Amino acid sequence: MIRLNSTVTDQCNFYGNTNPISLVNDFGSPLYVYNEGIIRERAREMKNLSTYKNFRVNYSAKANSSIALLQIVCSEGLDVEAMSAGEIAAELEAGFKPENILYISNNVSVDEMKFAIDKNVTISVDSLSQLEQYGRTNPGGRVAVRFNPGVGAGHHEKVVTGGSETKFGVNPEYAPEVKAIVEKYNLKLVGINHHIGSLFMDESPYLEGAANMFKLAVNFKDLEFVDLGGGFGVPYDKQGGEKRLDLKSLGAKLDAFINEFIKNYGKEIVVKIEPGRYISAESGVLLGRVHATKFNGPNKYVGTDLGMSTFLRPAMYDSVHNVEVYRESGSSDTALEEVTIVGNICETGDIVAKNLNLPKIVEGDVVGVLDAGAYGFVMSSNYNNRLRPAEVLIRENGQPILIRERDTIEGLLKPFKKITI
Ligand SMILES: *Cc1c(COP(=O)(O)O)cnc(C)c1O
């Protein structure tokens, strides 16, 4: 393989005993590739964020719910959070115990609540009406409530989940109503949680949110946990030298808040955080094959099989990802040119990355979209009747193994029922 620009993956030996060209030749394209060692490292960094003895990390599985990945996170001793019955099922399958799963529900049916209750999974509800529904469904049960203490943050307006412009959480001014419903159904309010939004690189909104939650928590006497949510950012512009989140500084400040809260509360209850992206994003690279290059006016387009059905983030969030270029054989000229990388879906917004300066790409090259391990495969779809890609894991011994099969045309057609014509 010719190394045209692969510095980021070279530096961490991302591909282990193999390389991206062999992976695509062996497993097909497009292909999500994950590195086990990186997942474990990030999980440990989160576990070590605080020195508080009852500090726990809930992995937010919506970032990446591949079962093998959940197994790795489980083996690192993390807890897990779920957003649907399907995620609960995947987490149980991966080996998590029900008591280590927190179901953060949002506008769910009675049946979905019952699914979690039957599995002994704690539910967090998101409104007074859902708390009433929980009370009617499981009187005397244990429940958590998601609050919205008014702080929001995120990389795009679509991922800010705190503050008055979002649908999430119960406004703290309704705390008396929460207490009343809890009493009415003889419930036990075991936890309160919140989530300010996804991807902060500056610690202050997170800390502000945590302080608000601790202030709120002292109003409730029987809590077993306070959950401060996720949103920990990762540097997406590694080629540009973007700095990592300063976990040391954040951890020290968080510790001070926790210690003060525990003193006020008088009980050493669990304090949780809930990172999704931080644990899985950097463990994943999305590989795709270049099938065409062309000019439309001054713009050079590189046409790949990485459509928005495979990778939605750039179209949905205008997200920016670094791209590497790999070549089996041919020119090793690394002179740069500006290109826009696009996919194979019939949509103008079907863009992987705009105006990148990359070595001159030719047909047959493989491109690697970095930091694609969170909100990557999980947001893929069959739009345009495209097949969702396979997923491969590079084990710690450097060997690649298949962890999810690529969709098939037969599988795609199977759910349909034909009618009589
Ligand atoms: C999405 C989500 C998370 C994880 O967010 P990240 O930005 O991936 O860390 C945590 N908690 C809740 C409630 C969420 O909705």
Side-chain angles (χ1 to χ4, degrees), residues 110 112-121 123 134 137-138:
V110 171
E112 228 184 305
M113 273 190 186
K114 279 189 179 150
F115 179 91
I117 293 161
D118 287 347
K119 300 252 181 296
N120 280 321
V121 167
I123 303 180
Y134 182 89
T137 310
N138 193 29

Side-chain angles (χ1 to χ4, degrees), residues 46 58-64 81-83 102 104-105 124 146 155 159 161 168 193-200 206 227-233 273-281 374-375:
M46 286 285 106
N58 275 357
Y59 170 58
S60 182
K62 78 176 193 284
N64 189 324
E81 170 254 6
M83 294 263 157
L102 176 64
I104 300 194
S105 67
S124 158
R146 176 172 181 166
H155 62 92
V159 300
T161 55
F168 294 106
N193 60 293
H194 89 147
H195 176 61
I196 58 170
S198 198
L199 208 172
F200 63 87
Y206 194 79
D227 175 347
L228 304 175
F232 303 85
I273 59 167
E274 214 158 64
R277 180 191 314 274
Y278 192 87
I279 288 175
S280 62
Y375 308 105

Side-chain angles (χ1 to χ4, degrees), residues 6-307:
S6 54
T7 322
V8 175
T9 53
D10 286 345
Q11 274 169 359
C12 61
N13 188 28
F14 186 90
Y15 297 106
N17 298 344
T18 179
N19 68 62
I21 300 284
S22 306
L23 284 167
V24 164
N25 289 342
D26 294 349
F27 295 98
S29 178
L31 186 70
Y32 276 95
V33 183
Y34 307 110
N35 180 294
E36 178 173 357
I38 296 176
I39 302 164
R40 289 190 183 280
E41 195 178 312
R42 296 291 173 259
R44 287 171 199 170
E45 285 173 20
M46 286 285 106
K47 266 172 69 173
N48 294 330
L49 182 67
S50 167
T51 57
Y52 175 52
K53 73 172 188 194
N54 290 328
F55 179 73
R56 299 287 302 169
V57 180
N58 275 357
Y59 170 58
S60 182
K62 78 176 193 284
N64 189 324
S65 51
S66 216
I67 301 223
L69 199 127
L70 292 174
Q71 287 180 286
I72 295 168
V73 170
C74 184
S75 77
E76 286 294 329
L78 271 65
D79 297 337
V80 73
E81 170 254 6
M83 294 263 157
S84 68
E87 283 187 359
I88 294 173
E91 291 161 3
L92 292 169
E93 183 72 19
F96 285 99
K97 298 208 180 75
E99 60 266 31
N100 296 121
I101 302 175
L102 176 64
Y103 177 29
I104 300 194
S105 67
N106 183 240
N107 309 328
V108 302
S109 67
V110 171
D111 282 347
E112 228 184 305
M113 273 190 186
K114 279 189 179 150
F115 179 91
I117 293 161
D118 287 347
K119 300 252 181 296
N120 280 321
V121 167
T122 302
I123 303 180
S124 158
V125 296
D126 197 25
S127 59
L128 296 178
S129 53
Q130 290 261 292
L131 184 58
E132 283 271 0
Q133 176 179 306
Y134 182 89
R136 288 192 302 269
T137 310
N138 193 29
R142 306 164 76 255
V143 70
V145 171
R146 176 172 181 166
F147 280 94
N148 181 342
V151 185
H155 62 92
H156 187 281
E157 63 182 36
K158 286 182 188 161
V159 300
V160 174
T161 55
S164 58
E165 300 302 314
T166 84
K167 68 169 179 170
F168 294 106
V170 175
N171 189 313
E173 72 190 36
Y174 296 116
E177 282 84 348
V178 167
K179 281 185 181 170
I181 299 169
V182 163
E183 263 173 47
K184 175 174 165 192
Y185 295 99
N186 192 25
L187 301 174
K188 182 156 190 235
L189 184 68
V190 294
I192 61 171
N193 60 293
H194 89 147
H195 176 61
I196 58 170
S198 198
L199 208 172
F200 63 87
M201 295 303 282
D202 163 24
E203 64 190 22
S204 38
Y206 194 79
L207 289 166
E208 192 188 331
N212 290 349
M213 280 300 275
F214 287 140
K215 241 183 260 158
L216 188 60
V218 290
N219 295 312
F220 302 103
K221 291 297 162 221
D222 296 323
L223 296 180
E224 294 168 10
F225 69 85
V226 176
D227 175 347
L228 304 175
F232 303 85
V234 299
Y236 279 98
D237 188 13
K238 295 185 170 57
Q239 291 167 340
E242 187 181 357
K243 293 243 170 353
R244 302 194 68 79
L245 186 62
D246 186 346
L247 292 182
K248 221 171 162 180
S249 158
L250 175 58
K253 289 174 190 155
L254 198 58
D255 266 357
F257 281 15
I258 294 175
N259 292 338
E260 193 194 315
F261 164 68
I262 294 298
K263 231 189 284 157
N264 291 340
Y265 199 72
K267 245 190 288 181
E268 291 187 314
I269 64 171
V270 169
V271 175
K272 296 170 188 265
I273 59 167
E274 214 158 64
R277 180 191 314 274
Y278 192 87
I279 288 175
S280 62
E282 294 166 294
S283 77
V285 174
L286 171 60
L287 299 178
R289 183 79 81 175
V290 175
H291 292 300
T293 60
K294 72 168 159 193
F295 280 93
N296 268 349
N299 300 319
K300 180 169 174 180
Y301 289 94
V302 172
T304 70
D305 52 11
L306 299 179

Side-chain angles (χ1 to χ4, degrees), residues 294-361:
K294 72 168 159 193
F295 280 93
N296 268 349
N299 300 319
K300 180 169 174 180
Y301 289 94
V302 172
T304 70
D305 52 11
L306 299 179
M308 62 198 283
S309 57
T310 299
F311 191 55
L312 186 61
R313 293 195 76 246
M316 174 120 168
Y317 304 123
D318 299 317
S319 65
V320 174
H321 287 258
N322 286 162
V323 173
E324 293 190 343
V325 183
Y326 317 112
R327 179 169 298 157
E328 191 151 16
S329 61
S331 164
S332 53
D333 181 7
T334 54
L336 301 180
E337 68 174 350
E338 189 176 303
V339 295
T340 289
I341 300 179
V342 295
N344 51 6
I345 298 293
C346 210
E347 291 274 353
T348 303
D350 185 35
I351 292 170
V352 180
K354 258 187 214 165
N355 308 117
L356 300 181
N357 284 306
L358 292 173
K360 194 172 178 201
I361 296 178

